Amino acid sequence: MAVTIKNASEIEGMRISCRKLGLVLNQLTKEIKPGMSTLDVDILGEKLIREQGGIPNFLHYNGFPGSICVSVNDVVVHGIPKKSTIIKDGDIVSVDCGLIYNGFHSDAARTVCVGDVRPEVRKLVEETKNSFFAGIKYAKAGNHLYDISNGVAEYIDQFGYGIVRELVGHGIGRNLHEDPAIPNYHMNKKGMKLVSGMTVCVEPMINMGRAEVTFDDDGWTCRSEDRLPAAHYENTILITDGEPEILTLVEE
Ligand code: MG
Ligand code: MG
């Protein structure tokens, strides 16, 4: 799937789709409470997406059974919503959501601290979010793609966390996943030159321990191999000649 540069009307389409997703995430993240199952979170997420007039784009994507991904503690990403997975006080829960609106895809993720989360785990969640912002400082036309990757990785290095390598960020538009792939780890090449009108997902996936991950037999659930907590933070952004627009982040 090639890199697509969006024209003015496509950019407007992306803005609208992404704003809807930002509103969904603001509401969904407030509702996650101990005692809910990850299926409850999925059902609520789908309801909020449909209330915005969107279609959940993860549902049936390569056979994924949920409308959103709900990943608890050592699950890095792609947690399948289940009735049997109950959220407890002290858990961290990543919700990765996307929707299609008027043909345009949006994709974003937040990790929520539920109740009394241990300080070192809370810090992992905060620094994962901070690493997104450290990376997108470089997301500007004329810079290179891997400037973003190195920005994330350099920020994370100071904490000794493990940066997941198996999964990366991506371009987005009329398709959920477009080129280019955007690693969160150090790259010793420059990558393509960034161009105004690219829309991309930057999404650090950070393990408190080692970087290695395993996949459950379901083929989806991605866990830290050492089973220590993992966090995920993602937004769809628009590359411009100046600061990037963070399309899925809606101020409350
Ligand atoms: Mg996502
Ligand atoms: Mg993504």
Side-chain angles (χ1 to χ4, degrees):
M1 176 57 55
V3 174
T4 60
I5 312 300
K6 281 76 180 174
N7 64 29
S9 81
E10 291 168 327
I11 288 170
E12 203 41 43
M14 287 299 293
R15 282 197 186 108
I16 293 165
S17 175
C18 288
R19 181 176 166 78
K20 286 175 178 290
L21 183 61
L23 293 169
V24 166
L25 275 166
N26 284 356
Q27 208 169 339
L28 182 61
T29 51
K30 277 192 213 121
E31 299 290 332
I32 297 175
K33 303 267 157 52
M36 286 173 92
S37 71
T38 56
L39 183 64
D40 292 333
V41 177
D42 175 76
I43 290 167
L44 178 58
E46 171 158 3
K47 177 172 165 273
L48 294 171
I49 288 169
R50 295 203 187 272
E51 280 172 4
Q52 290 291 333
I55 300 163
N57 51 6
F58 298 174
L59 184 62
H60 307 317
Y61 184 84
N62 291 334
F64 188 78
S67 292
I68 67 173
C69 300
V70 190
S71 305
V72 181
N73 296 336
D74 63 322
V75 180
V76 185
V77 285
H78 299 167
I80 295 177
K82 286 193 180 121
K83 208 175 167 178
S84 57
T85 305
I86 306 297
I87 295 165
K88 304 181 303 298
D89 188 275
D91 283 349
I92 58 171
V93 180
S94 303
V95 283
D96 190 356
C97 302
L99 62 81
I100 316 170
Y101 185 82
N102 204 15
F104 292 98
H105 287 257
S106 49
D107 181 9
R110 308 280 182 262
T111 300
V112 179
C113 292
V114 181
D116 195 14
V117 171
R118 286 186 289 141
E120 63 269 36
V121 179
R122 198 171 278 275
K123 181 173 173 65
L124 169 75
V125 172
E126 279 163 16
E127 300 303 0
T128 299
K129 178 178 177 178
N130 291 340
S131 73
F132 163 87
F133 289 96
I136 68 157
K137 273 188 202 159
Y138 302 94
K140 181 189 283 195
N143 283 355
H144 288 84
L145 182 66
Y146 300 149
D147 294 338
I148 302 173
S149 307
N150 291 331
V152 172
E154 257 165 49
Y155 185 82
I156 288 297
D157 276 353
Q158 63 184 306
F159 308 107
Y161 298 145
I163 300 174
V164 173
R165 302 177 70 90
E166 282 76 359
L167 299 155
V168 296
H170 52 92
I172 185 167
R174 292 187 183 276
N175 303 281
L176 175 57
H177 292 117
E178 300 183 353
D179 279 339
I182 311 176
N184 297 301
Y185 46 86
H186 285 285
M187 298 293 290
N188 53 18
K189 287 182 289 189
K190 286 181 154 185
M192 69 173 288
K193 205 173 233 192
L194 297 171
V195 177
S196 180
M198 289 173 71
T199 46
V200 299
C201 294
V202 176
E203 51 176 315
M205 288 157 262
I206 308 297
N207 293 346
M208 200 161 90
R210 288 185 293 107
E212 288 77 15
V213 295
T214 60
F215 291 85
D216 287 3
D217 290 339
D218 59 29
W220 285 103
T221 312
C222 172
R223 295 178 194 273
S224 60
E225 190 179 67
D226 59 17
R227 302 299 189 247
L228 290 175
H232 183 205
Y233 186 83
E234 173 181 26
N235 284 298
T236 302
I237 67 169
L238 169 70
I239 305 293
T240 74
D241 293 323
E243 297 292 305
E245 273 183 49
I246 309 176
L247 301 178
T248 48
L249 193 58
V250 178
E251 297 292 333
E252 298 198 61

